[in-house]
Amino acid sequence: MNTDDLVTDMAQDVLEKRAPDLPAETKRLSCGIVARRLDLTSETQAKRLGRERGIYLTFDCTEGTFASGGGAGVLSRHIARAVVDMAGVMGRRSVVLAAGLGNAGVTADSLGAATTELLDVSPVSEAERKRQKVRLCAVNAGVEGRTGIRSADVVAGVCERLRPSCVIVIDSLATSSPERLGTSFQLTTAGIAPGSGVGRDRPRIDRAFLGVPVVAVGVPLVLSVRTAFAEFMRDYIEETGSPLNAYVLREIVEKRKLGGLVVAPKEIGVTVSRAASVIASAINAAFGENA
């Protein structure tokens, strides 16, 4: 498969397709959850995968995880522990800023806004806050097309005022693996470039940009049609042994103007609501006012 056809925000997608030999720690948890951790510290390995250096932790689930009574709760607890570990927040006077990215008006891109709406944020007045608790704040950065302000600049402006100990950014992601749509959760210390998964690169929101630890949390909710065609072509060749003309297929995709299209799960509204609930529960358990 041509590397240009691989459109994804998921480190595990790239690892599986470009570098299956790289070490990734895999642990099977309860309720059908599989945790996959990749410590990408080498510049050489980072360039090979086309990812920024950092820790990438993916929780791959199945629909059965959410069908079972306590599956979502188990997942939230694992995410909560991972976020605390990655953020490194200590002390009751610490401020944690949760920033929702994406377009609230587009369902598949509304995960950030849907999550921040469910957060148990702290009162502004210190006298009203519970003792020995981290102060949790939240903001929706919106999208440049609707605000005229880049998401990274919105978050940076709030950070300058609040001076948080860490920032948690939440966003919808793209994947090249249909089975991961709505069922995988990625956490990384490498930050995030809003829109990068669908070819709309924006300034990266990371520690270098904000000056504090950044933990990016996301769920893949869209799949590139170009990537889907490339994957189909690869699988077809492997299953049948009959070659396809990759050049002709790409020409058809471009001619029909399919290259820039993305698709989302049929029940995208339910999927976003479920994912937002899991992530918000995790952040609330870790830093919320009622934790």
Side-chain angles (χ1 to χ4, degrees):
M1 182 173 64
N2 188 314
T3 56
D4 292 338
D5 292 325
L6 186 58
V7 179
T8 183
D9 291 304
M10 302 294 290
Q12 281 298 320
D13 284 347
V14 185
L15 185 71
E16 292 163 5
K17 294 175 174 62
R18 290 183 183 169
D21 57 303
L22 289 183
E25 180 185 347
T26 300
K27 183 181 294 185
R28 295 193 175 277
L29 309 173
S30 60
C31 301
I33 304 168
V34 179
R36 309 181 197 276
R37 177 182 171 120
L38 174 64
D39 291 351
L40 202 58
T41 56
S42 163
E43 185 65 30
T44 301
Q45 291 180 343
K47 287 183 178 180
R48 182 180 176 189
L49 292 181
R51 305 288 109 169
E52 298 294 323
R53 287 187 295 175
I55 298 170
Y56 293 85
L57 178 60
T58 304
F59 292 101
D60 285 328
C61 308
T62 66
E63 288 297 333
T65 301
F66 306 100
S68 63
V74 171
L75 177 60
S76 286
R77 288 191 288 275
H78 283 297
I79 293 176
R81 286 192 289 269
V83 168
V84 171
D85 182 58
M86 289 180 168
V89 174
M90 298 180 66
R92 71 183 183 88
R93 293 188 179 277
S94 296
V95 176
V96 174
L97 173 63
L101 307 181
N103 190 341
V106 178
T107 306
D109 198 28
S110 65
L111 178 63
T115 301
T116 55
E117 288 180 1
L118 300 175
L119 294 181
D120 184 19
V121 297
S122 306
V124 174
S125 170
E126 186 173 352
E128 296 178 16
R129 295 199 294 270
K130 297 179 180 180
R131 291 187 175 184
Q132 308 300 324
K133 293 294 181 182
V134 171
R135 179 186 175 190
L136 176 62
C137 305
V139 64
N140 285 322
V143 289
E144 183 179 342
R146 300 187 68 176
T147 65
I149 308 171
R150 299 182 307 180
S151 300
D153 292 333
V154 172
V155 178
V158 176
C159 281
E160 185 176 348
R161 180 68 176 177
L162 290 180
R163 300 187 182 280
S165 299
C166 79
V167 175
I168 303 169
V169 289
I170 307 104
D171 199 7
S172 304
L173 306 177
T175 182
S176 62
S177 304
E179 62 273 13
R180 284 198 165 103
L181 283 169
T183 59
S184 292
F185 293 70
Q186 176 177 271
L187 288 73
T188 178
T189 59
I192 189 171
S196 61
V198 289
R200 300 173 187 162
D201 288 355
R202 298 291 188 270
R204 192 167 192 84
I205 301 175
D206 57 13
R207 184 168 190 160
F209 184 74
L210 298 179
V212 296
V214 173
V215 180
V217 183
V219 176
L221 295 169
V222 295
L223 174 72
S224 162
V225 170
R226 183 177 69 191
T227 298
F229 271 111
E231 288 288 287
F232 168 79
M233 180 174 62
R234 181 179 62 84
D235 291 343
Y236 179 87
I237 293 173
E238 288 182 358
E239 290 290 332
T240 66
S242 301
L244 286 172
N245 191 316
Y247 176 78
V248 172
L249 182 59
R250 290 193 188 92
E251 284 290 302
I252 294 174
V253 168
E254 293 305 316
K255 184 177 180 180
R256 297 295 301 275
K257 297 181 180 181
L258 300 175
L261 297 181
V262 295
V263 294
K266 181 179 180 181
E267 300 296 334
I268 185 62
V270 174
T271 302
V272 169
S273 178
R274 182 179 70 187
S277 177
V278 168
I279 297 171
S281 294
I283 296 175
N284 285 336
F287 310 116
E289 181 68 8
N290 294 315

